[in-house]
Amino acid sequence: KRPDHYKHVFQFVDPELPGEDECYQASFMRSSALEGSATVSALINSCLVPILEQYVSSKIKRVDVRCIAMQRGGFMRAHVDDYAGAAGFIFYVNKRWCVDWGGLLAIRENEGLKVFCPKFNRLIVIGHKQSRLPHFVTQVTDYALEDRFAITGFCEV
């Protein structure tokens, strides 16, 4: 819980997004052991960095990697990550995910929503330099048969 994040870091002018009188909240776990592992490093450097460099049209200097697990009840309220780097990414690793288990990524764009299911091997890139794209993750339901896993991160150019 971060009570003042909507007053400055995640301040929105969109009336359909949280106002500054609300509290930013998220519920998820991070694995520092996985984030520093040779397997995740190899995946990032050999597979994701070349794709991300094409997207940002620049050489990537550093990638801040986060290995995220969301258990039942896990979620992230609306936020932006433009402070974290030129681009952000989400790479889904669950072999199976049912759309009604929740854990859906919703990106606010032009008064609409683009919603993505955590599909295995799907990479979503959000360019933070092009536009400010608020996004959130819907709550993982109580009847989800698995935790939701993703490798996320931010790129510095």
Side-chain angles (χ1 to χ4, degrees), residues 32-84:
S32 57
L34 281 175
E35 291 169 2
S37 76
T39 302
V40 170
S41 257
L43 171 72
I44 297 297
N45 293 325
S46 66
C47 298
L48 297 184
V49 166
I51 294 168
L52 295 167
E53 285 180 340
Q54 286 180 348
Y55 185 83
V56 297
S57 303
S58 183
K59 187 84 173 146
I60 291 177
K61 295 178 185 171
R62 189 174 87 82
V63 179
D64 177 9
V65 176
R66 297 160 187 215
C67 294
I68 303 289
M70 284 190 173
Q71 297 177 311
R72 291 172 186 95
F75 66 95
M76 289 184 186
R77 286 205 70 190
H79 64 283
V80 291
D81 294 315
D82 53 349
Y83 64 90

